[in-house]
Each structure stands twice: as C-alpha cells, then as structure tokens.
Amino acid sequence: MTEEVKYDPWYKYGVIALYVEMFLAIAFSIFALYMTLTGSGGISRH
Amino acid sequence: MILAATGFFWCFLLWFSTAAFSPSIRAEYSLDLTDMAILASSAIWMAPIGRIVAGWASDKFGARNTFVIILIYCGIFSIFSSFATDYKTLFILRVIVASAGVSFVVGVQHVSQWFEKEEIGVAMGLYAGTGNAGAGIGMFLLPRIYGTDYSSAFLHLGIIALVIAGIYFLRGVDAKDEETRLRAKSTANVRGTLFVWTRFAAIALMLGYGISFGLEIAMNAWLPGYYALGFASNLESLGYTTVKQIQIAVGTFAAVQSFNASLFRPFSGYMSDLFQRRNWMPYPLITKKLPYSPRIHWLVTALLVITVSMILLTLAGLSGILPLSVVVLAIFGIAISFGTGSTFAIVPLMFKDRPGTATGFIGGVSTSFGIIYPLIFGAKALANIHIGYAIAAIVIFIPVILFVLWAMRYDESPEDHGIGSKEYWLGENTEV
C-alpha cells in the first residue's frame, strides 16, 4: 500500500541534493582507492 | 536548514580538526598507541553531557541563541589552542574545542521546528549529512592546506567560527511560528526530561544511535591513527614516508568513512520516507501499527547492516590489503549513514513536543559510545589493531539490536512505555 503525500516545492530540490551528495561520496572513495593503488594523490615527493 | 547545516558543518570541522593532525601531534610529542587512543577518545568526552544540556537549552532559549554561544566559545578556545606550547595545554584546549559537537542536537531541534512530518527524513538527512561532512572535508583538506602546521589551522578555524556565529545571530529564526517555539519552550522542564529519559523507546533509539553515530565519530577520531599504525608497511611501500605524506594519505583514507557516512545520510532519510510511503515493514517482531512503523523497520535494517560491515572491516584489516580495507570502509560508511539517518527520521515524530530534550538524550548519551570504541580498538590485550571492530560488533551491537526489537514491539504509543507511567512523570501535563 502506497501512501499519497503532497510535498512542499523544496522537497524535489532536496532529493536532487541528496543524489549530488552521494555522487561526491562515491567519487571521493574512488579517489582514495586510487591513492591506495598508485601511491599518488596530490602528495608532493619533495 | 541552510544556517543550521552551515553552523554544524563548521562545528564538525572544529571537532575533528585535531584528528586530522594526529600524525603531526604524535610525531611532535612522541605519543604511543595508548596515547593516540586517548587523544581519539578525548574528542568525544564533552559530548554526552554537553548534548543533553544543549538539547534542553535549545528548547528553552531557542536554537539560534544556543548555536551562537557554542560557535563563539569553541572559536575562542580554538584560537587559544593555536598558541599552546606544551601537550598538556594543547590536549585540554582541544577537548574544550571538541565540545563543538554538541551543536548537532541544537540543529536537529532547529530543523524539527521548521519542517512537516512527511518531509522530516530528507530535511534531517540534508542538515545532518551536510554538517557531518565537515569531519571528512577537514581530514582531507586541512593536512593538504596546512601540512604539519596545525597551529595555523586551529587559529583560522576559530576565527571563521566567530564569523559564522555573527551570521547565525543576525539571520536565524527559532521556529516557523511562535506557537511551535512556545510549545517546545513550555515542555523544557525537569519532569519532561526525566519522562523522555525513562522511555524504553528513547533508550532503544539512544543505544541504536550509539552504534551508528557514536561509532561514526569514534572512527573519525580513530581511523587516521589506525591506518598509520595498522598499514605502516603498505604506506611505506607506496612511497608515503614523511610525516606530512603519511598524514595526508591516512587522512584521505579515514575521510572515506566520514564522507560516506555523512553524504549518504540524506539518502537514508529519503529511504526512511520511502519505507513510510511504500509501507514496507519486513520484520515480524516490530510493531506494524504505528503511523511511523515503516521508519522503525528501516532503522533495524540499518543496524543489521552496520554490524555485518564491522566484521568485514576486521577481515579486511587482517588480510593486510590496503585497497580492500578502503573499499570495505566505504561500505561501512554507507551503513553508518543508514543508521544515523533512520534514527533521526523517527525522533521528531515520536517525541514531537520535546524535540530538543529527546534529541539531547538520544544524540547526547549515545556519543559516550564514541569514547569507548577507540579504547576497545586500541586495547593492548587484543591480538592486533584490526580485531577490535568484530569484538565491538559481537559484544555491543547484537545485544543492542535485540533491545531495539523488544522496545519497538508496542502497537500503541511506544513512547508511553518505560520506567514509571506518563502520568507519574508529567501529572496533568501528559502531552508527549
């Protein structure tokens, strides 16, 4: 059974924002994984 | 919500900025594993009692005033800490600054005063998730910007906290209307507080939050040291050899947990809204008759996923494969976000007239778990630094989940059940 709900206008933007945040989290995790595999990641060797 | 999220974001940055520089501090003051565990644990010492007081204060005096006071004193002590010349002074000042974490309950109270029950999951998730990301961003960016110069970082973070306090004071409004504000204010009394504290459902939510958010903050403080010590040979073979390089690397790995736990939190709120909308209730032991029962079923799902991911973290650590540990850490962070987001999609609905007091108890006492975890993970009695995660999952998490199942079995007003009746604690004033 699905409940019918009417949301305020901000809600759809909130849902978009949460997808953006998830994308950032996944992208950051991939970057960290790249560091564990290559030993690089913006760290100066000097 | 934007003001609350911004203020909370900066408080989280202040809170865990010490952890971001833990390799530098360790090197400068020659700290051992036990010292590191205490330093990690100390970040959370002020949270339990501080959050209880802050939750009550936000009901009584308004979220705006309470948030501004927290930002001001934490900013000032962060500035003081930048001038510390010995470890003892630095440690004490950073414990005070770490109390910035109490601001979470103030923001929850603030958001709950503005949004309707159908939207509370996403609203709370966006507020708390965005705010919590401050820890991850701090661990990722601070060592890159400041290197090993943690004093300058503490100085600049403190100054900006004072600026945000000024903006919050000028632009913040306590509630969407006067009636909402006054209702919260009128319930902020000792009997109402004791009533909330003695409810089985509130205790269950508090314990559940202890194994989600309590764990998240413990890991924020613990993980940089964990990767520096537990994967030292891996780091060396990758070419991370100086203190600065190791600090940047372990800060980045640790931030994986924080980023996922923070940035997936709004998704958890969304899932709570979705469980509610679709009426999903898979577990036989938990009530299916409350208006928000599906949200409780989502919470239990989250707690089970966290427990499994803790055991996986131990297995990944024992394997000695650094990339595997980081991948599992990302999954673990997402599991944490499910737990934190699902809890605070329930609290404002179950204790709708005492949002600050309930949040102070659930979000406050639960943080004491965060003090305990690093001491378990870093215990010298354990065979190695990886095994503590599985031990915590078995000894603490499984009993907590069983208690949550028991406390959430009531088909009507679970918030009425506890030690002492509602009438005993509230007398004539029996609004929950």
Side-chain angles (χ1 to χ4, degrees):
Chain A
M1 188 174 66
T2 302
E3 187 180 323
E4 288 298 324
V5 178
K6 184 170 172 56
Y7 296 108
D8 283 346
W10 75 270
Y11 192 82
K12 66 180 176 187
Y13 298 107
V15 173
I16 292 169
L18 73 85
Y19 281 115
V20 170
E21 293 198 354
M22 283 193 296
F23 171 78
L24 290 174
I26 293 167
F28 182 82
S29 300
I30 292 169
F31 173 72
L33 186 61
Y34 165 76
M35 283 182 68
T36 67
L37 294 169
T38 64
S40 54
I43 299 175
S44 168
R45 299 293 177 196
H46 303 293
Chain B
M1 185 168 70
I2 292 170
L3 264 180
T6 305
F8 182 44
F9 173 89
W10 206 260
C11 282
F12 238 76
L13 200 53
L14 282 170
W15 190 3
F16 291 108
S17 53
T18 314
F21 292 104
S22 59
S24 291
I25 296 170
R26 176 177 169 235
E28 186 168 340
Y29 295 104
S30 305
L31 306 181
D32 64 14
L33 175 61
T34 305
D35 294 328
M36 291 294 289
I38 293 171
L39 183 63
S41 166
S42 70
I44 305 152
W45 288 354
M46 300 290 277
I49 187 70
R51 286 188 165 199
I52 292 162
V53 173
W56 168 82
S58 55
D59 275 348
K60 189 75 176 176
F61 306 112
R64 184 193 67 160
N65 292 337
T66 311
F67 223 130
V68 168
I69 289 168
I70 292 167
L71 281 163
I72 288 175
Y73 83 77
C74 288
I76 289 171
F77 278 99
S78 184
I79 292 167
F80 285 167
S81 73
S82 70
F83 298 105
T85 53
D86 63 275
Y87 181 64
K88 190 176 175 183
T89 306
L90 178 70
F91 181 87
I92 292 169
L93 290 172
R94 295 312 296 177
V95 168
I96 296 170
V97 174
S99 69
V102 308
S103 62
F104 167 70
V105 298
V106 185
V108 169
Q109 196 270 4
H110 204 176
V111 173
S112 73
Q113 299 285 287
W114 276 91
F115 291 92
E116 301 299 331
K117 67 181 189 324
E118 296 84 5
E119 304 159 339
I120 202 75
V122 170
M124 283 294 177
L126 284 172
Y127 154 71
T130 308
N132 284 1
I137 288 173
M139 280 189 279
F140 178 63
L141 289 181
L142 291 177
R144 282 176 159 77
I145 296 170
Y146 292 97
T148 56
D149 183 13
Y150 56 83
S151 296
S152 296
F154 295 163
L155 175 67
H156 298 156
L157 290 171
I159 291 169
I160 295 172
L162 297 179
V163 173
I164 295 173
I167 296 169
Y168 210 119
F169 183 75
L170 293 172
R171 302 302 302 269
V173 179
D174 288 330
K176 64 181 175 184
D177 54 51
E178 190 66 4
E179 183 191 356
T180 306
R181 189 186 74 80
L182 290 175
R183 190 167 64 233
K185 186 176 181 180
S186 68
T187 59
N189 53 51
V190 174
R191 295 186 76 85
T193 301
L194 292 174
F195 169 72
V196 170
W197 283 44
T198 52
R199 302 305 90 194
F200 296 139
I203 294 168
L205 289 171
M206 181 275 289
L207 293 173
Y209 206 57
I211 66 174
S212 55
F213 185 73
L215 184 59
E216 179 185 341
I217 57 176
M219 295 299 254
N220 285 343
W222 165 256
L223 283 171
Y226 167 69
Y227 277 105
L229 293 169
F231 290 90
S233 59
N234 305 62
L235 295 171
E236 191 178 351
S237 64
L238 284 166
Y240 303 126
T241 51
T242 67
V243 171
K244 183 180 175 183
Q245 288 168 349
I246 291 171
Q247 186 167 266
I248 290 174
V250 300
T252 305
F253 304 153
V256 168
Q257 187 265 158
S258 179
F259 269 98
N260 283 285
S262 307
L263 298 178
F264 269 85
R265 187 168 174 157
F267 177 70
S268 176
Y270 174 74
M271 284 298 292
S272 181
D273 290 349
L274 191 66
F275 262 60
Q276 181 69 33
R277 199 161 60 239
R278 300 283 170 84
N279 218 24
W280 288 339
M281 292 179 282
Y283 303 106
L285 299 175
I286 306 167
T287 177
K288 297 181 179 179
K289 296 186 176 175
L290 295 170
Y292 49 83
S293 281
R295 295 185 189 276
I296 300 174
H297 285 251
W298 170 235
L299 167 66
V300 172
T301 304
L303 298 181
L304 291 171
V305 175
I306 292 171
T307 305
V308 171
S309 65
M310 277 286 271
I311 295 169
L312 290 177
L313 202 56
T314 285
L315 295 176
L318 291 173
S319 75
I321 304 169
L322 180 59
L324 176 64
S325 175
V326 170
V327 169
V328 172
L329 191 66
I331 296 167
F332 170 82
I334 293 169
I336 292 282
S337 78
F338 289 174
T340 53
S342 59
T343 304
F344 275 92
I346 297 169
V347 174
L349 303 177
M350 191 178 278
F351 299 96
K352 58 183 180 296
D353 289 331
R354 292 181 170 80
T357 302
T359 303
F361 173 63
I362 294 162
V365 179
S366 60
T367 54
S368 58
F369 279 63
I371 300 170
I372 298 165
Y373 294 130
L375 302 178
I376 295 174
F377 302 154
K380 286 179 176 168
L382 298 181
N384 58 59
I385 199 171
H386 308 292
I387 204 84
Y389 307 124
I391 289 176
I394 293 165
V395 174
I396 299 176
F397 292 18
I398 292 174
V400 165
I401 292 171
L402 292 174
F403 182 77
V404 172
L405 293 175
W406 177 81
M408 296 300 181
R409 71 192 188 284
Y410 299 107
D411 287 337
E412 288 184 15
S413 305
E415 66 275 12
D416 287 356
H417 299 275
I419 303 164
S421 68
K422 184 159 69 169
E423 290 74 20
Y424 172 78
W425 290 111
L426 303 178
E428 295 297 313
N429 179 24
T430 56
E431 281 186 1
V432 174

